[in-house]
Amino acid sequence: MSKCIFCKIANGQMPAHIRYEDDEVVAFDDINPKAPFHVLIVPKKHLKNLNDTAKIDQDLLGHLLLIAQKVAEEAKIADNGYKIVINNGKESGQLVDHLHLHLLGGKLLARMAV
Amino acid sequence: MSKCIFCKIANGQMPAHIRYEDDEVVAFDDINPKAPFHVLIVPKKHLKNLNDTAKIDQDLLGHLLLIAQKVAEEAKIADNGYKIVINNGKESGQLVDHLHLHLLGGKLLARMAV
């Protein structure tokens, strides 16, 4: 059985505040939010980060971005604005070795990095 | 003729330090870098930001992320780590109204936002 916490959330073994779910993707609140709205968009397939993806994952990667947009719209932060951040590898700040998109919004984010 | 500066770079009307180009995507150095390595990955199709995308753009969105990974690998920053940031809308810090992915690397980025 996987020890990956995002795999456990994806298969229901670990609780989370789920915002969206389908066969390929789950989106849930970050437990340590860095903004008023901070959701993680996670593929159910275990991929370590973008370095672990290939052409076969193109549809899934596009789907992750479309779901991020959908979650932002449903949370009513899409018009004001939101950031997507994907950390890959140890110098990036990636804390969980399962590909995830941070969706951040709900306040002025312009000065957070780029 | 488009006044969009990223459209102008994409169609060769405006110079940039091009890192990668194909029929759908162009990647070039940010002129105001926020990290030692700071490249923008831009679709040639004019999309304002993620709010302007739909299911028809899924392949293109996946392609943008795969190209980001490829550019990171070619720049030899993939193993150490890199961030992808996509700003959408006025509260996010989006400065050019043409969808673009920031690819940031080359130093410890962990404390830059999430």
Side-chain angles (χ1 to χ4, degrees):
Chain A
M1 196 172 289
S2 173
K3 289 181 178 175
C4 168
I5 61 169
F6 287 176
C7 284
K8 286 184 178 178
I9 289 173
N11 68 23
Q13 286 179 275
M14 188 174 283
H17 183 189
I18 305 290
R19 298 272 181 170
Y20 173 87
E21 185 170 11
D22 64 26
D23 289 346
E24 295 182 293
V25 168
V26 62
F28 51 89
D29 288 0
D30 193 298
I31 56 167
N32 185 20
K34 301 291 195 302
F37 187 86
H38 187 173
V39 163
L40 304 178
I41 322 289
V42 176
K44 292 188 174 179
K45 176 179 178 180
H46 184 82
L47 295 160
K48 187 173 175 185
N49 57 41
L50 280 179
N51 293 335
D52 198 22
T53 64
K55 182 76 178 168
I56 195 174
D57 302 304
Q58 183 172 350
D59 282 357
L60 176 60
L61 293 172
H63 187 55
L64 289 167
L65 289 175
L66 289 175
I67 295 308
Q69 174 218 42
K70 178 185 174 73
V71 171
E73 280 182 2
E74 289 181 356
K76 302 192 189 313
I77 60 168
D79 288 342
N80 282 341
Y82 56 98
K83 277 184 187 286
I84 306 290
V85 179
I86 312 172
N87 296 324
N88 302 278
K90 61 183 186 297
E91 283 194 3
S92 72
Q94 183 178 10
L95 296 178
V96 176
D97 281 342
H98 182 131
L99 177 63
H100 52 289
L101 282 64
H102 296 268
L103 167 56
L104 297 142
K107 68 172 179 179
L108 191 69
L109 295 162
R111 294 186 186 184
M112 289 176 69
V114 289
Chain B
M1 196 172 289
S2 173
K3 290 181 180 174
C4 169
I5 61 169
F6 287 175
C7 285
K8 287 184 178 178
I9 290 172
N11 67 24
Q13 287 179 274
M14 187 175 283
H17 183 189
I18 305 291
R19 298 273 181 170
Y20 173 88
E21 184 169 11
D22 64 27
D23 289 346
E24 295 183 292
V25 168
V26 62
F28 51 89
D29 287 0
D30 194 298
I31 57 167
N32 185 20
K34 301 292 196 301
F37 188 86
H38 187 174
V39 163
L40 303 179
I41 322 289
V42 176
K44 292 189 174 180
K45 178 179 178 180
H46 184 81
L47 296 160
K48 187 174 174 184
N49 57 40
L50 279 179
N51 293 335
D52 199 21
T53 63
K55 181 76 177 168
I56 195 174
D57 302 304
Q58 183 173 350
D59 281 357
L60 175 60
L61 293 171
H63 186 54
L64 289 167
L65 289 174
L66 290 176
I67 295 306
Q69 174 220 42
K70 177 185 174 73
V71 171
E73 281 181 0
E74 289 181 355
K76 305 194 188 310
I77 60 168
D79 288 343
N80 282 340
Y82 56 98
K83 277 184 186 287
I84 306 291
V85 179
I86 313 173
N87 295 324
N88 302 277
K90 62 182 184 297
E91 284 194 2
S92 72
Q94 183 178 9
L95 296 178
V96 176
D97 281 342
H98 182 130
L99 176 64
H100 53 288
L101 282 63
H102 295 268
L103 167 57
L104 298 142
K107 68 173 180 180
L108 191 69
L109 294 161
R111 294 186 185 182
M112 289 176 69
V114 290

